[in-house]
Amino acid sequence: MSSSNSAWYAVRVKSRCEWAVSDALRHKGYEEFLPLYWSRRRWSDRVKVLQLPLFSGYLFCRFNPADRVPILSTPGVVLIVGSGKTPLPIDSKELEAIRTAINSGQKVLPWPHLEVGRSVRIEEGSLRGVEGVLLRFKGTNHLILGVQLLQRAVAVEVPENWVVPCEQQVSAVTAPRFA
């Protein structure tokens, strides 16, 4: 049903339905892409290595947007990402970069998108729990946060992996650990 001339689109699916929707779309003849990563999860009695969706709640599918009803009628599909009812295509170079990263053998993990001007919270180190505004990135591994203190701003340099957006409630306890 799909052709290599069709664009890729992001498809929002119900929580924990990524695999079922991926299989259903493949059986309908569509080219789909569900990027996965390996995660080590610890329970009180064991440690288990699981394969999880890299973009929780999303997968990618190649199709003609004029013929999107079969996609939307697939059990577990919530919507096709777009502007209103108009699906917006994903740049195929971005998806190819994700495929390359996954196939590289390197650890690939989901990561929150950090933007300059966004409120963020430090999750590690002696400043754990401090909230501030991302002022700028310094190099590839550090960023500068502005922290309001006594109505004055101070800049704090911390490793990027210590910081999460304030809207996301990720903690070191619930974040996956890797050996």
Side-chain angles (χ1 to χ4, degrees):
M1 291 196 161
S2 65
S3 70
S4 59
N5 296 339
S6 298
W8 285 96
Y9 295 90
V11 179
R12 176 77 169 116
V13 300
K14 290 180 182 176
S15 179
R16 302 177 195 252
C17 289
E18 296 91 351
W19 285 279
V21 173
S22 177
D23 288 343
L25 290 173
R26 192 175 323 107
H27 283 91
K28 286 183 174 186
Y30 291 98
E31 184 178 356
E32 48 69 44
F33 175 45
L34 176 59
L36 302 170
Y37 74 103
W38 291 98
S39 175
R40 173 176 258 152
R41 299 294 169 108
R42 182 180 305 271
W43 283 269
S44 60
D45 61 337
R46 67 189 182 284
V47 174
K48 197 169 184 179
V49 178
L50 304 172
Q51 206 169 19
L52 301 172
L54 189 59
F55 302 100
S56 181
Y58 293 90
L59 58 83
F60 303 96
C61 187
R62 188 188 295 248
F63 60 91
N64 180 343
D67 187 31
R68 63 183 176 265
V69 173
I71 306 291
L72 292 168
S73 64
T74 303
V77 170
V78 175
L79 57 86
I80 298 167
V81 177
S83 178
K85 293 188 177 187
T86 305
L88 294 176
I90 303 289
D91 186 350
S92 60
K93 292 178 186 174
E94 289 182 18
L95 287 182
E96 197 53 44
I98 293 168
R99 282 186 207 268
T100 301
I102 290 171
N103 294 330
S104 71
Q106 300 294 318
K107 287 183 185 174
V108 176
L109 301 171
W111 197 258
H113 180 68
L114 299 176
E115 296 174 352
V116 171
R118 186 173 189 175
S119 294
V120 293
R121 182 179 54 258
I122 301 172
E123 289 287 318
E124 298 288 332
S126 60
L127 296 173
R128 181 184 197 137
V130 172
E131 293 185 7
V133 176
L134 177 59
L135 299 178
R136 69 181 170 98
F137 289 93
K138 181 179 180 185
T140 56
N141 294 323
H142 287 81
L143 44 86
I144 304 294
L145 298 179
V147 180
Q148 292 294 327
L149 183 67
L150 301 175
Q151 297 180 343
R152 301 201 187 261
V154 295
V156 179
E157 181 179 333
V158 295
E160 185 176 349
N161 63 349
W162 285 13
V163 177
V164 296
C166 282
E167 298 80 16
Q168 185 171 341
Q169 299 294 323
V170 174
S171 71
V173 176
T174 59
R177 300 269 184 206
F178 295 92

